């Protein structure tokens, strides 16, 4: 993705770690090696402008079946998704739920199986004297 708006998650929700765009007249590569904290709303405002003037990006967003707003949201957090998929980091800005419906169903099924085994062995049944 694009240099200047690819950001990295921080530990604080709403803030990103990003290397800004390099100005054409700035030939000092040393100054461009710095990263800065940026509010995610500011980053999304930049992405909004980039998407509007970049037809291939708009086409790719539409191919995914997303609205432009959802595409902007995903692009701003693309590094977060990659880090989460590889088990490296769960960003506070990631909108994916850690506990989704399938995890809840599997957890419930395991609980029911454990309860059934314990009941069949008489663990929870009162003992008569």
């Amino acid at each position: 993705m694009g240099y200047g708006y690819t950001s990295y998650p921080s530990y604080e929700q709403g803030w990103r770690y990003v290397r800004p765009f390099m100005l054409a007249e700035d030939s000092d590569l040393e100054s461009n090696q710095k990263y800065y904290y940026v509010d995610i709303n500011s980053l999304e405002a930049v992405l909004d402008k980039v998407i509007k003037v970049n037809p291939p990006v708009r086409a790719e967003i539409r191919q995914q079946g997303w609205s432009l707003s959802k595409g902007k949201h995903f692009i701003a957090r693309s590094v977060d998704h990659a880090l989460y998929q590889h088990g490296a980091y769960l960003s506070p800005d990631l909108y994916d739920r850690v506990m989704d419906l399938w995890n809840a169903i599997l957890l419930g099924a395991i609980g029911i199986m454990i309860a059934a085994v314990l009941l069949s062995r008489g663990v929870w049944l009162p003992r008569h004297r």
Side-chain angles (χ1 to χ4, degrees), residues 29-118:
L29 291 177
E30 182 69 28
S31 68
N32 194 40
Q33 300 304 315
K34 297 178 183 174
Y35 285 79
Y36 298 94
Y37 283 103
V38 185
D39 178 47
I40 198 157
N41 295 321
S42 300
L43 180 66
E44 286 182 346
V46 170
L47 281 168
D48 194 41
K49 302 288 185 201
V50 169
I51 290 169
K52 285 181 181 175
V53 299
N54 198 331
V57 174
R58 281 197 317 268
E60 188 174 331
I61 289 171
R62 289 193 178 110
Q63 283 178 345
Q64 295 292 330
W66 298 333
S67 66
L68 293 179
S69 176
K70 185 174 180 179
K72 174 179 62 175
H73 185 89
F74 186 84
I75 292 169
R77 293 159 181 84
S78 61
V79 173
D80 302 43
H81 288 280
L83 291 173
Y84 177 67
Q85 287 173 347
H86 290 90
Y89 180 67
L90 177 58
S91 166
D93 290 316
L94 199 59
Y95 63 88
D96 286 344
R97 293 174 297 211
V98 176
M99 184 70 162
D100 63 1
L101 179 61
W102 285 110
N103 287 338
I105 290 171
L106 289 173
L107 184 63
I110 290 169
I112 290 170
M113 286 190 290
I114 290 172
V117 167
L118 292 175

